[in-house]
Amino acid sequence: MTSKERAKLRAAANSLEPIFQIGKDGVSANLLSQLSDALEARELIKVKVHLETAPQTPRQFANEAALALNADIVQVIGGVIVLYRKSEKLEKERTAKKKLAYNSAKTPAKRAAKGGKDRAKHENSNFRRGV
């Protein structure tokens, strides 16, 4: 991951709230399963570590979770960890939406009706025909 990609992800994570908490039990198999599900659904998540009761540092938890989940550590600040993993499910949805948007505005008449570049051409052609 490049520093520019990491910066964009940090900016996107700024408005997120932590959806998981790590406490005295540390990283368990159940927590890893839930983190994996959340990463598949959202791609970018925040995790809060309770510094007083946690047996390890947040950086150690982040390294352990990232290794187990095949995720990237975006940042660790204080007791907050931000993790990212690209989701195949969300990527397919994004490409399907892009294809749908492209195909729906494919014909000049449809683009003209939506106010696209061809609107003036479309209106002028009707004017020349006497419509």
Side-chain angles (χ1 to χ4, degrees):
M1 177 182 302
T2 66
S3 62
K4 287 188 178 187
E5 291 171 335
R6 186 170 279 116
K8 284 182 182 180
L9 291 172
R10 276 196 315 263
N14 194 22
S15 63
L16 294 178
E17 292 293 321
I19 58 172
F20 291 101
Q21 297 179 0
I22 299 175
K24 64 180 179 179
D25 294 334
V27 177
S28 64
N30 187 28
L31 177 70
L32 289 175
S33 172
Q34 291 178 354
L35 286 172
S36 180
D37 292 344
L39 283 169
E40 189 63 31
R42 300 181 184 206
E43 288 188 333
L44 187 67
I45 60 170
K46 267 189 183 179
V47 180
K48 176 129 176 87
V49 178
H50 291 284
L51 299 174
E52 298 84 24
T53 60
Q56 297 175 326
T57 66
R59 175 57 72 176
Q60 291 170 333
F61 282 129
N63 289 335
E64 185 179 341
L67 185 63
L69 298 169
N70 195 22
D72 292 319
I73 301 170
V74 176
Q75 70 180 359
V76 179
I77 293 183
V80 178
I81 302 168
V82 179
L83 297 173
Y84 171 79
R85 182 176 72 191
K86 191 170 187 175
S87 171
E88 298 299 324
K89 177 183 169 186
L90 291 177
E91 189 65 29
K92 286 179 184 178
E93 288 176 8
R94 279 189 219 118
T95 54
K97 284 181 184 178
K98 285 180 183 177
K99 285 181 182 178
L100 181 63
Y102 175 75
N103 289 335
S104 67
K106 203 170 187 177
T107 63
K110 287 185 181 180
R111 281 194 302 253
K114 291 184 178 184
K117 290 181 180 179
D118 297 328
R119 183 176 187 156
K121 291 179 188 177
H122 184 67
E123 289 173 357
N124 288 338
S125 65
N126 286 339
F127 178 73
R128 288 185 202 136
R129 288 188 213 145
V131 177

